[in-house]
Amino acid sequence: MTTRTTTARRRALALAAGGAGLALVLAACSDPDGEGGVGEEETSASSAEIDCAAYDEFGDLDGKTVSVYTSIVDPEGATQQDSYKAFTECTGVKIDYEASREFEAQLLVRIKAGNAPDIAYLPQPGLLNTIVKDYPDAIKPAPDATAKNVDEFWNETWKGYGTVDGTFYSAPLGANAKSFVWYSPSMFADAGYEVPQTWTELMDLTQKIHDDTGGQVWCAGVESGDATGWPGTDFIEDMMLRTAGVEDYEKWYTHEIPFNDPKVVKAWDTAGEILKNPDYVNAGLGGVDSIATQSWTDAGNGILDQQCWMHRAANFYQTQWPEGTEVSEQGDVFAFYLPTDQTDVKPMLGGGEFVAAFNDRPEVQAFQTYLSSDDWANQKALSTPDGGWVSANSGLDPNNLATEFDQYVAGVLADPDTVVAFDASDLMPGEVGAGTFWTGIVNWLTGSSTQEVTDKIEASWPK
């Protein structure tokens, strides 16, 4: 553990200082046949910064293949695969990466058919619970080396999300912070608007912009293939944290209070003050019902065209802006914390992926362990030059993150005073969190009442 940690930090500092290019450095990790196309001088220079001894613990995996199935599609998928290069070059293993927007639906189909991948990145701990309950023989407990990494580098709460009935299955991968509103700093400055500090101020600003411009203010989209609806669940969850509080939020996703409880209905209606108000949405895109068919990846682009003023989305939306977009307080777009009228807490809606294994071959366990390490977290940061990725791994050096916004988000996640509440839909049973909750959002946006939708979701909760 110590050897890998020390080597990772040395490598991170060398790369950050601008030594060799990342692609060259990683490619030079190992070339046992001497035919990799990297010249002797390049290999010598790069090897001084990448010490493959850090990967000796994984043994010789040359010729082995690990299949990975995930919902992390490009552009994030490309940087995800780049972060494996040191591991693959130094161990000889091949990672067969497959990403799909229909991941949630197709993974269960593949498991049932006996065609599970070696590794899957589960975006919902609730999905992990479903798999363990319905397919206990398919999923494998995490190896001891992975558990040790998680104990060392992660808060125990994160380990709990990957544990079912006392058995630890899935280590956390990345971490998301979702309570942000994207905007154009220059548009705000030119109009004389200030970033709101409370929910009341946010709604007052929304009305003022509408009054000043005569147009819609917010843009939104929840279309995402078979996963359509999930961005809307984030909005509802943020409102639950702000109107009901963290304690009732936890009772909601554990079903200690029903899904159609008045506190839940209030959260939906509060979200509806924006999402179901035709005066406020969907700027440059259409009316309220257009939110259901507008791709979440493109929904915020109206800010760049000065048709939309605000767009609520997570930190990872940074990767969805068109190439060339400057994300900074002096740039084209930036984000502010989605404010609350609460005075004693600043809740942050969080999320993340968890690494589940459906095979316990040595190469699969080695890859699991690598992904749970501080080494991988720093490689991922260095492999994401455009930003949009953070982790709650304590071994991550914030200086390796690409942007000031990423560094800020990492600081929020690491701050002991910040109350990070994990995405509720990800903690609910899969048939609800990745099922009726998603479809309920679409029905709500296209005409159904809050009570109708929440009653139907409550009726779908497994008995």
Side-chain angles (χ1 to χ4, degrees), residues 15 18 55 83 117 123 148 150 193 204 206 210 224 246 255 277-278 291 301 326 331-332 354 375 406 431 434 449:
L15 289 171
Y55 299 88
S83 71
K148 289 178 181 178
V150 175
Y193 302 143
D204 288 345
T206 298
H210 174 67
S224 185
V246 175
H255 209 221
N277 187 335
I291 301 174
N301 287 345
E326 182 183 352
D332 302 313
F354 292 80
D375 188 3
D406 288 339
E431 53 264 63
S449 71

Side-chain angles (χ1 to χ4, degrees), residues 294-357:
Q294 173 60 46
S295 170
W296 78 272
T297 58
D298 302 327
N301 287 345
I303 293 175
L304 300 175
D305 300 332
Q306 298 192 347
Q307 297 183 52
C308 168
W309 289 83
M310 290 182 283
H311 175 60
R312 185 224 157 274
N315 66 300
F316 54 78
Y317 197 80
Q318 183 175 187
T319 65
Q320 301 303 320
W321 297 109
E323 185 176 356
T325 303
E326 182 183 352
V327 180
S328 75
E329 288 189 277
Q330 291 74 42
D332 302 313
V333 292
F334 201 61
F336 60 82
Y337 170 76
L338 179 64
T340 174
D341 285 336
Q342 296 155 299
T343 58
D344 58 337
V345 65
K346 292 183 69 173
M348 172 60 71
L349 181 64
E353 309 87 12
F354 292 80
V355 180

Side-chain angles (χ1 to χ4, degrees), residues 22 50-51 66 119 131 184 221 225 261 291 299 313 357 376 386 391 404 412 417 431 455 457:
L22 180 61
I50 292 291
D51 184 359
V66 176
I119 293 284
I131 293 171
S184 164
D261 186 271
I291 301 174
W376 176 78
D386 296 326
S391 171
E404 291 182 7
V412 171
D417 295 329
E431 53 264 63
D455 285 348
I457 299 173

Side-chain angles (χ1 to χ4, degrees), residues 336-407:
F336 60 82
Y337 170 76
L338 179 64
T340 174
D341 285 336
Q342 296 155 299
T343 58
D344 58 337
V345 65
K346 292 183 69 173
M348 172 60 71
L349 181 64
E353 309 87 12
F354 292 80
V355 180
F358 300 92
N359 198 296
D360 55 7
R361 301 192 312 275
E363 61 270 24
V364 177
Q365 293 193 339
F367 191 53
Q368 277 182 282
T369 300
Y370 173 61
L371 293 173
S372 66
S373 69
D374 62 333
D375 188 3
W376 176 78
N378 283 289
Q379 287 290 353
K380 179 63 174 74
L382 291 165
S383 300
T384 313
D386 296 326
W389 179 87
V390 296
S391 171
N393 186 311
S394 64
L396 172 64
D397 182 350
N399 292 321
N400 288 334
L401 294 168
T403 69
E404 291 182 7
F405 182 66
D406 288 339
Q407 293 172 4

Side-chain angles (χ1 to χ4, degrees), residues 85-129:
K85 288 182 179 178
F87 177 80
T88 58
E89 290 292 337
C90 289
T91 65
V93 73
K94 176 185 176 184
I95 305 301
D96 185 6
Y97 187 94
E98 179 185 358
S100 172
R101 294 187 187 279
E102 285 73 47
F103 167 84
E104 286 85 354
Q106 292 303 312
L107 177 63
L108 294 179
V109 172
R110 291 176 60 166
I111 294 173
K112 186 175 182 179
N115 187 34
D118 293 328
I119 293 284
Y121 299 158
L122 306 181
Q124 298 101 7
L127 181 57
L128 171 64
N129 280 267

Side-chain angles (χ1 to χ4, degrees), residues 12 40 221 297 425 450 462:
E40 290 185 6
T297 58
S425 64
T450 299

